[in-house]
């Protein structure tokens, strides 16, 4: 068994307080000083709108009350137009505090936000995540990936797989054509734009047979992008597909 060098715990005990003195840990959302790096201050924790029961199990939108959820915990929209996946979970509503965590990760290289978001996502999806789950991120088109240099959904998928003791397959899905930004588009427009835009890479099809796949994204709005992932995964032989997002937008104008 590989053991950590004997000096590493001693080095960390000495270095951490020194670094904290020179560079005080900051809240990931607002920048206020915090006791421990990688966390939120009390005020920002209080402003987080975490999604807790009751919520629709198919789209993760909260219900106003348990009575409104009905016996199946499914909203009217999902009853009339069921999504292709089985269960959906999201950690928080996409409000100002959530944006202060997600947008810097997405556009400003704030990859240190991944660990915090993944912890909240894992709590939200504790009833569907197992060590046998296969985490797959929503893919970026190669042109967008070149400009952004990393896929934030892939970073979240890897972090979640680590928390679950499971595997992540970050290159299993491919966005075969570039699509315009979905911000400002309605449900039907998003569905039309995303139809057929994402496929399963042929080389990974054998690995999907009988698998429980969890598709990971940063923000879920109408679900058009996640549906474009779930449909080909099921067609390729996945036994079950669930979706998991860091945040759930209540309207139709959040970025995708």
């Amino acid at each position: 068994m590989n053991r950590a060098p004997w000096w590493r715990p001693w080095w960390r005990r000495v270095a951490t307080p020194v670094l904290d003195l020179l560079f005080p840990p900051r809240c990931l959302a607002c920048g206020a000083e915090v006791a421990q790096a990688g966390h939120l201050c009390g005020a920002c924790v209080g402003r987080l709108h975490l999604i807790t029961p009751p919520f629709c199990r198919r789209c993760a939108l909260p219900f106003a009350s348990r009575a409104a959820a009905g016996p199946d915990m499914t909203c009217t929209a999902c009853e009339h137009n069921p999504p292709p996946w089985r269960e959906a979970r999201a950690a928080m509503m996409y409000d100002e505090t959530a944006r202060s965590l997600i947008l810097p990760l997405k556009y400003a290289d704030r990859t240190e936000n991944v660990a915090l978001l993944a912890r909240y996502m894992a709590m939200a999806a504790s009833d569907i995540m197992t060590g046998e789950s296969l985490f797959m991120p929503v893919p970026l088109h190669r042109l967008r990936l070149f400009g952004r240099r990393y896929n934030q959904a892939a970073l979240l998928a890897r972090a979640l797989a680590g928390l679950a003791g499971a595997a992540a397959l970050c290159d299993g899905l491919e966005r075969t054509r570039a699509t315009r930004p979905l911000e400002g588009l309605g449900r039907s427009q998003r569905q039309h734009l995303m139809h057929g835009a994402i496929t399963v890479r042929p080389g990974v099809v054998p690995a999907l047979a009988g698998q429980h796949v969890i598709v990971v994204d940063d923000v879920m709005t109408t679900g058009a992008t996640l549906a474009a992932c779930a449909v080909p995964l099921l067609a390729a032989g996945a036994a079950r597909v669930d979706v998991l997002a860091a945040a759930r937008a209540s309207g139709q104008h959040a970025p995708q």
Side-chain angles (χ1 to χ4, degrees):
M1 181 175 64
N2 294 328
R3 294 182 180 273
W6 63 270
W7 46 263
R8 185 171 295 170
W10 170 85
W11 181 89
R12 286 179 176 170
R13 285 196 298 270
V14 173
T16 298
V18 172
L19 290 173
D20 286 350
L21 181 63
L22 296 174
F23 307 101
R26 299 284 179 178
C27 171
L28 294 179
C30 73
E33 287 193 25
V34 293
Q36 187 176 357
H39 289 260
L40 300 176
C41 67
C44 286
V45 169
R47 285 192 290 266
L48 276 179
H49 184 177
L50 298 179
I51 297 176
T52 57
F55 55 82
C56 175
R57 66 182 186 86
R58 304 301 301 276
C59 73
L61 274 178
F63 288 109
S65 66
R66 181 61 183 83
D72 196 38
M73 300 294 290
T74 303
C75 69
T76 302
C78 289
E79 286 180 354
H80 292 164
N81 186 23
W85 59 78
R86 185 180 299 185
E87 301 280 337
R89 300 290 184 271
M92 60 193 74
M93 293 302 296
Y94 190 68
D95 55 16
E96 182 178 353
T97 304
R99 283 193 292 273
S100 69
L101 294 170
I102 293 171
L103 294 184
L105 165 62
K106 196 167 185 174
Y107 300 116
D109 298 336
R110 290 283 300 277
T111 55
E112 65 270 24
N113 293 4
V114 167
L116 178 73
L117 289 169
R119 290 197 298 270
Y120 281 117
M121 293 167 74
M123 288 189 291
S126 61
D127 60 331
I128 63 171
M129 285 172 46
T130 74
E132 302 301 316
S133 303
L134 179 63
F135 292 84
M136 297 181 68
V138 169
L140 288 177
H141 189 267
R142 61 183 180 275
L143 295 178
R144 188 167 294 176
L145 182 60
F146 178 79
R148 199 176 290 176
R149 302 190 311 283
Y150 61 86
N151 179 358
Q152 73 282 353
L155 299 182
L156 290 168
R158 289 193 189 100
L160 286 161
L163 292 173
L169 182 58
C170 292
D171 60 353
L173 291 168
E174 180 180 15
R175 198 175 290 240
T176 55
R177 68 173 188 269
T179 55
R180 56 163 289 191
L182 303 185
E183 186 175 3
L185 299 181
R187 180 185 298 272
S188 61
Q189 292 172 302
R190 289 172 184 248
Q191 290 174 339
H192 176 75
L193 194 65
M194 291 305 304
H195 180 71
I198 296 174
T199 62
V200 175
R201 293 184 186 274
V204 306
V205 170
L208 294 176
Q211 287 280 2
H212 170 218
V213 178
I214 299 179
V215 180
V216 178
D217 205 1
D218 52 358
V219 181
M220 177 182 177
T221 306
T222 66
T225 302
L226 291 163
C229 297
V231 168
L233 285 169
L234 291 167
R240 169 177 170 173
V241 175
D242 296 325
V243 300
L244 173 57
R248 179 65 162 96
S250 58
Q252 306 209 354
H253 302 291
Q256 287 273 339

